[in-house]
Amino acid sequence: MVMRMLVTGGAGYIGSHLVDRLVHLGHNVSVIDNLSTGSLQNLHGAQPHIEFVEGSILDEALVERLVRDTDVVFHLAAAVGVGHIVEKPLASLITNVRGAEHVIGAAMAYDKRLLVASTSEIYGKTKKMPMSEDDDRVLGSTTIARWGYSTAKAIDEHLALAHAAEGRRVSVVRYFNSYGPRLDPRGYGSVVANLMRQALNNEPLTVHGDGTQTRCFTYVTDTVECTVRAGLDDGAQGLVFNVGNDRETTILELARKIIALTGSRSDVSFVSYEARYGKGFEDTVRRVPDVRRARDVLNFSARVDLDEGLQRTLTWWRETYA
Ligand code: UDP
């Protein structure tokens, strides 16, 4: 069935891939994006087929008007990236709390199906692996800016789930380290982009700490496929889903893979967390999703392995920045 879809943050990295997918599925797609970290370039292929509105989710009247005219809302607009959150904590919190409140409030007021994009950052520094959707969250002090992102997203999740408990059509996805084409080449928000840019420039690849910290890198087509299912499948309503690949990789291993793949002359340079993020920064040492719920409820498993995904990302990078 063809539906009207609104994607907030649809010009962003994940958002624009989601837009492409929804257009491909034949839906009528609208996008609201303030182009802060997203770009029209990301929507180049989709733009003839969509309605694009440049605006902020902080503009409540605009959000309300767009939500009213749609069937399903995918809420991806947010201030993202740990670097960004640490540098601009106040603006990030306002976007991620007040902006989300506008989108969730409007979707509920007009009784629309809603998907809220959240983050694996929700789990904080828990040591329990893999991370399951109903696990405890383990966070540091409010004096450490990083945890404000997790907290803001948790408010969004609580709001969404409170509406779901009242019978509304809401679901939540938590992204685990998505990567792929359209990552910001400045490395904004992603170690993959940062290391790839450095490797291609034959600069040292900056590995924070000793590089033994791990992440589960998830190729963007997998991220998007799971998002679409969580947003549209009836069985997903009221549930939270981890969205990720469960193959764990250390950052040092990632750096070595990128050096080999690009044929770079670069070497690895170890950088302290303090030098990069300032005093008092706390990293997440391991991050691994429990993927059973997405598999059992949505019949979703990640398909693209890291070597293949990095190769595709590199191909795009070379085509785009040649
Ligand atoms: N990282 C790194 N070098 C970089 C950028 C990031 O070693 O140039 C590390 C970062 O400290 C973290 C991991 O890579 O341990 C993933 O960072 P990213 O910002 O991609 O996302 P996060 O998973 O922390 O949200």
Side-chain angles (χ1 to χ4, degrees), residues 299-311:
N299 196 22
F300 168 82
S301 299
R303 290 164 172 268
V304 182
D305 70 23
L306 184 58
D307 290 324
E308 170 69 21
L310 287 175
Q311 180 60 61

Side-chain angles (χ1 to χ4, degrees), residues 269-286:
S269 157
F270 294 94
V271 176
S272 73
Y273 284 107
E274 192 170 326
R276 171 61 183 88
Y277 296 111
K279 238 185 164 36
F281 181 79
E282 292 181 88
D283 198 16
T284 302
V285 180
R286 288 180 68 199

Side-chain angles (χ1 to χ4, degrees), residues 73-76 104 108 113-120 122-123 133-134 150 152-165 168-176 223 226-233 235-244 293-294 297-298:
V73 179
F74 287 88
H75 175 51
L76 277 74
I104 295 168
M108 296 301 100
R113 178 87 171 87
L114 171 68
L115 174 124
V116 173
S118 182
T119 168
S120 51
I122 281 284
Y123 297 102
E133 288 88 345
D134 299 332
S150 181
K153 282 294 183 177
I155 291 171
D156 303 348
E157 290 200 13
H158 272 302
L159 270 174
L161 294 173
H163 283 292
R168 314 307 293 278
R169 298 172 298 159
V170 186
S171 44
V172 175
V173 288
R174 293 181 184 155
Y175 294 137
F176 281 71
T223 308
C226 195
T227 304
V228 171
R229 291 183 196 199
L232 301 182
D233 284 13
Q237 292 181 21
L239 295 177
V240 178
F241 296 91
N242 287 337
V243 177
R293 185 177 290 167
V297 178
L298 305 176

Side-chain angles (χ1 to χ4, degrees), residues 29-288:
V29 181
S30 300
V31 167
I32 172 172
D33 198 300
N34 67 355
L35 301 179
S36 57
T37 52
S39 71
L40 285 178
Q41 182 63 26
N42 288 343
L43 288 172
H44 187 69
Q47 213 162 14
H49 313 286
I50 65 170
E51 178 200 15
F52 174 77
V53 177
E54 183 174 347
S56 168
I57 54 170
L58 294 173
D59 183 343
E60 194 172 8
L62 176 62
V63 167
E64 200 182 303
R65 178 172 70 71
L66 292 170
V67 167
R68 198 185 49 209
D69 294 337
T70 196
D71 299 310
V72 183
V73 179
F74 287 88
H75 175 51
L76 277 74
V80 292
V82 169
H84 192 197
I85 304 304
V86 174
E87 280 151 28
K88 294 191 172 165
L90 183 60
S92 304
L93 284 168
I94 289 172
T95 301
N96 293 347
V97 177
R98 195 176 301 156
E101 221 180 316
H102 292 161
V103 177
I104 295 168
M108 296 301 100
Y110 291 103
D111 198 19
K112 307 297 183 178
R113 178 87 171 87
L114 171 68
L115 174 124
V116 173
S118 182
T119 168
S120 51
E121 185 77 10
I122 281 284
Y123 297 102
K125 51 185 175 177
T126 181
K127 298 259 184 299
K128 182 186 162 291
M129 298 295 144
M131 296 158 156
S132 305
E133 288 88 345
D134 299 332
D135 283 351
D136 287 346
R137 305 171 55 226
V138 181
L139 303 185
S141 164
T142 53
T143 54
I144 295 173
R146 172 186 194 137
W147 303 122
Y149 180 49
S150 181
T151 302
K153 282 294 183 177
I155 291 171
D156 303 348
E157 290 200 13
H158 272 302
L159 270 174
L161 294 173
H163 283 292
E166 297 194 351
R168 314 307 293 278
R169 298 172 298 159
V170 186
S171 44
V172 175
V173 288
R174 293 181 184 155
Y175 294 137
F176 281 71
N177 291 81
S178 183
Y179 73 100
R182 301 180 192 156
L183 276 176
D184 190 311
R186 290 166 294 181
Y188 178 89
S190 166
V191 62
V192 171
N194 213 35
L195 299 184
M196 197 166 274
R197 186 196 70 248
Q198 291 165 339
L200 290 170
N201 290 340
N202 292 308
E203 293 164 4
L205 274 68
T206 52
V207 168
H208 302 158
D210 63 5
T212 56
Q213 71 272 36
T214 71
R215 295 294 186 268
C216 289
F217 296 101
T218 308
Y219 190 66
V220 68
T221 52
D222 285 327
T223 308
V224 161
E225 180 57 31
C226 195
T227 304
V228 171
R229 291 183 196 199
L232 301 182
D233 284 13
D234 286 339
Q237 292 181 21
L239 295 177
V240 178
F241 296 91
N242 287 337
V243 177
N245 197 315
D246 59 358
R247 170 77 168 72
E248 196 175 4
T249 306
T250 69
I251 300 303
L252 185 56
E253 197 183 338
L254 174 73
R256 299 229 156 100
K257 267 185 195 293
I258 289 176
I259 289 173
L261 182 70
T262 53
S264 172
R265 296 191 300 279
S266 300
D267 214 339
V268 166
S269 157
F270 294 94
V271 176
S272 73
Y273 284 107
E274 192 170 326
R276 171 61 183 88
Y277 296 111
K279 238 185 164 36
F281 181 79
E282 292 181 88
D283 198 16
T284 302
V285 180
R286 288 180 68 199
R287 183 185 284 158
V288 184

